[in-house]
Amino acid sequence: MSTLYTASATATGDGRNGHVRSSDGVLDFDLAVPKELGGAGGALTNPEQLFAAGYAACFHSALKRVASNQKLTLTDTAITVDVGIGPLPSGGFGLSVTIEAELPGLDETTAKAVLDAAHQLCPYSNATRGNVEVQLNLA
C-alpha cells in the first residue's frame, strides 16, 4: 500500500480516563470510562465513540463514492455506526459494529447493493473484516 495520509494521536494519563490529542491539535480532550463499563461517564467521550464517529464518516464517504460511480443520486443520506464492546470467550475484550444506512429514494435491492459495495470499499470495513463482527442494516 502507498500511504496517502497518516493521522497521529497520542494518549496520556490513565488510558480510558486519560487524555487524547492529535498531532495537529485539532482533537484535544479528556476521556472517561462509560458508566456501563464501571466508570464515571459524563460529558466526556471514549474510544468507542471516537471509533464509531470515524467509521460512520468514512463509510458515508465510501457510500457516496459507490453511488457516484454507479451514477446514482443520493440525497439526505445518513450512516449511523454503533460500536459495542464486551468480553471475548477466549479472554480479553472485543468490538462489534452495526452500520445502519438511511438511503431514501433507493429501492431495497439497489440500496443493499450500494451498502454492500461501500462495505468492500471503506478502509474501516477493510481493517475490521475478519476481526470484528459487522452487521449492515437499511433504516
Side-chain angles (χ1 to χ4, degrees), residues 32-110:
V33 174
K35 287 182 181 181
E36 296 84 351
L37 296 178
L44 299 176
T45 193
N46 60 67
E48 290 70 39
Q49 287 179 331
L50 296 171
F51 186 70
Y55 203 156
C58 188
F59 196 93
H60 203 191
S61 290
L63 184 86
K64 294 283 193 166
R65 175 166 289 185
V66 166
S68 176
N69 289 346
Q70 295 181 10
K71 308 292 190 244
L72 297 170
T73 301
L74 296 181
T75 56
D76 299 323
T77 58
I79 297 295
T80 300
V81 173
D82 296 328
V83 174
I85 184 170
L88 293 170
S90 59
F93 287 82
L95 300 175
S96 64
V97 172
T98 301
I99 299 172
E100 183 172 280
E102 296 178 38
L103 303 174
L106 294 183
D107 63 83
E108 186 174 348
T109 301
T110 303

Side-chain angles (χ1 to χ4, degrees), residues 23-41:
S23 60
D24 61 5
V26 171
L27 298 178
D28 190 0
F29 43 80
D30 291 329
L31 303 171
V33 174
K35 287 182 181 181
E36 296 84 351
L37 296 178

